Amino acid sequence: MKIGQTMDREKQEEKSHSLLDFFKFPQLRKKLCIITLNWSSIAVAYFGLTINISNLGGNDFLNYFCLSVIELPAFVLGLYLMDRWGRKWTNTLFVTTAGLFCLMPVFMPPRLKVLIMVASVMGKFGSAAAFMVIYQQATELYPTPVRSMGMSIGSMVSSIAIICMPYVVYLGTYNKFIPFLIIGGMCVTAGLLAPLVPETLHENLPQTLEESEKFGVGQKFFSCVRSTKRDTTDESEENAGGEPISS
């Protein structure tokens, strides 16, 4: 009964909020912009590199196989680092990695087809790992009343970006390095902004809009991930003798 009452209360809270709430709260608005940009950049790299195989030269089937098989180790490593380093720095690492590797072919001679292919595979590696992290990070950053709206906005904007990718890849008929420049530029920009959101691993996640505004305010930019999750009420508890309660 208590669980049912909690679920009904959360549904009522979701109905009472709208898209305008993202623009009323500065911290929530910043998180929406950064997460949506990262989500879109990762999607552009993930799908853009896949359909760009025709501009890589060589065997298209072998290129597609290499770009696909690299996803498995990317998911494993992303899952491992996400729970060790946290969501923020793992996402920053992989989206920046994808961007830098996508920019490398821009400065390579066209005859170095093997190195261009390797750079594309590593770009796909970074985007695949970041894709898994961004879903988890977005879910934890958005408070309960507007979580579904925030996820929907990120999915919608990234889908629009993906729709534009065939046209971006077509620009490769004029210069094969134009798609790499656009994809790499977006990912590097997203990687520079990714650390500006708070870390969520082992933290008490915000449940209301007011809590979301206060969440992460005290975190340092290069703060380390806490080893265990602590409840805010337990942190302030003291025993009768005035000494902190040992964990």
Side-chain angles (χ1 to χ4, degrees):
M1 292 178 61
K2 291 182 178 179
I3 294 175
Q5 292 173 358
T6 302
M7 294 177 64
D8 291 338
R9 183 169 61 253
E10 290 179 353
K11 290 180 180 178
Q12 293 297 326
E13 290 179 355
E14 290 180 1
K15 293 180 180 179
S16 62
H17 294 281
S18 66
L19 184 63
L20 296 177
D21 291 326
F22 284 100
F23 302 96
K24 295 178 181 177
F25 297 88
Q27 292 297 324
L28 185 60
R29 182 171 62 247
K30 182 183 75 172
K31 295 171 187 175
L32 176 68
C33 293
I34 294 176
I35 290 296
T36 302
L37 174 61
N38 272 263
W39 197 330
S40 301
S41 302
I42 294 167
V44 162
Y46 183 87
F47 292 100
L49 291 172
T50 301
I51 63 179
N52 191 50
I53 56 175
S54 59
N55 292 326
L56 298 179
N59 190 311
D60 288 350
F61 296 98
L62 179 61
N63 294 343
Y64 186 84
F65 172 78
C66 293
L67 288 172
S68 300
V69 74
I70 197 64
E71 294 184 28
L72 181 58
F75 291 147
V76 174
L77 182 61
L79 179 62
Y80 174 77
L81 294 181
M82 185 171 60
D83 290 333
R84 293 297 299 271
W85 291 0
R87 286 70 161 115
K88 179 174 72 172
W89 290 113
T90 303
N91 178 54
T92 302
L93 170 66
F94 284 120
V95 72
T96 305
T97 299
L100 293 177
F101 274 105
C102 287
L103 289 177
M104 284 184 181
V106 178
F107 306 99
M108 294 181 182
R111 66 177 183 274
L112 300 179
K113 296 181 179 180
V114 176
L115 293 180
I116 294 175
M117 179 60 196
V118 171
S120 298
V121 171
M122 293 306 299
K124 182 66 177 295
F125 176 87
S127 62
F131 225 140
M132 182 178 64
V133 178
I134 197 66
Y135 273 101
Q136 184 72 23
Q137 187 182 31
T139 303
E140 295 175 348
L141 278 176
Y142 295 134
T144 303
V146 295
R147 181 173 295 120
S148 59
M149 282 188 288
M151 299 292 290
S152 299
I153 293 172
S155 179
M156 180 188 68
V157 175
S158 64
S159 298
I160 294 174
I162 293 171
I163 292 173
C164 299
M165 285 315 298
Y167 304 99
V168 173
V169 173
Y170 181 75
L171 294 176
T173 58
Y174 303 99
N175 190 316
K176 294 184 181 298
F177 302 130
I178 294 178
F180 288 109
L181 181 61
I182 295 175
I183 295 172
M186 288 188 62
C187 288
V188 170
T189 302
L192 294 175
L193 296 176
L196 298 181
V197 296
E199 178 57 60
T200 57
L201 181 62
H202 299 154
E203 297 287 345
N204 296 295
L205 302 180
Q207 302 298 322
T208 64
L209 297 179
E210 290 74 17
E211 291 179 0
S212 178
E213 286 298 289
K214 300 177 182 178
F215 180 74
V217 174
Q219 288 186 10
K220 296 181 180 179
F221 185 78
F222 291 105
S223 60
C224 298
V225 179
R226 296 195 302 187
S227 58
T228 56
K229 184 175 181 179
R230 297 178 295 178
D231 188 84
T232 54
T233 57
D234 293 337
E235 293 177 352
S236 60
E237 286 184 352
E238 295 183 353
N239 59 10
E243 298 294 333
I245 298 178
S246 60
S247 58

